[in-house]
Amino acid sequence: MFPLGAPGIGLVLLRLCLAASLWPFLGSALCSPPGQVMFWAVIGTALALLLGLLTPVACGLCIVLAGLEAITPAHPLLVHMVPLALNAVALVLLGPGAYSVDARLYGHRVLTLPDKR
């Protein structure tokens, strides 16, 4: 769940790419009526991804945002929503990596169980 070394750096890059792919949502957020809520949701999700804070929740929000944009009738960039959703699913399945706030909060723990004697 929290790999070190090259896999951990790969997960940082995956989180960075997923946060950067939220950039087009900012323009469409300002054009819609509930734009302020959408704008701050995208900013908060991108920051959470960059820091690796509550990564499964942030990835879930990415999937919801991609779904909302995909069903928008005037959205010409549907081809960008599929990789966004797939990257979010991959990050949920792989975990945030060792270089994240999640690793510091919920990282490796050693449990020692007492003998039953």
Side-chain angles (χ1 to χ4, degrees):
M1 186 93 183
F2 303 109
L4 292 167
I9 293 171
L11 288 170
V12 168
L13 292 175
L14 184 61
R15 288 194 334 254
L16 177 70
C17 289
L18 189 57
S21 65
L22 292 174
W23 179 259
F25 288 104
L26 293 177
S28 65
L30 294 177
C31 297
S32 64
Q36 292 291 328
V37 175
M38 181 79 155
F39 177 81
W40 289 111
V42 170
I43 293 291
T45 302
L47 285 176
L49 285 170
L50 289 174
L51 295 174
L53 177 66
L54 298 173
T55 306
V57 174
C59 290
L61 286 174
C62 286
I63 294 168
V64 168
L65 287 171
L68 288 175
E69 285 291 316
I71 63 172
T72 303
H75 197 277
L77 301 175
L78 182 61
V79 71
H80 294 289
M81 298 307 123
V82 174
L84 172 72
L86 290 178
N87 283 338
V89 169
L91 192 56
V92 166
L93 294 175
L94 292 173
Y99 309 113
S100 66
V101 175
D102 284 344
R104 298 287 178 214
L105 294 175
Y106 313 110
H108 301 286
R109 301 198 196 299
V110 177
L111 298 176
T112 56
L113 300 174
D115 284 338
K116 293 188 178 187
R117 294 183 211 165

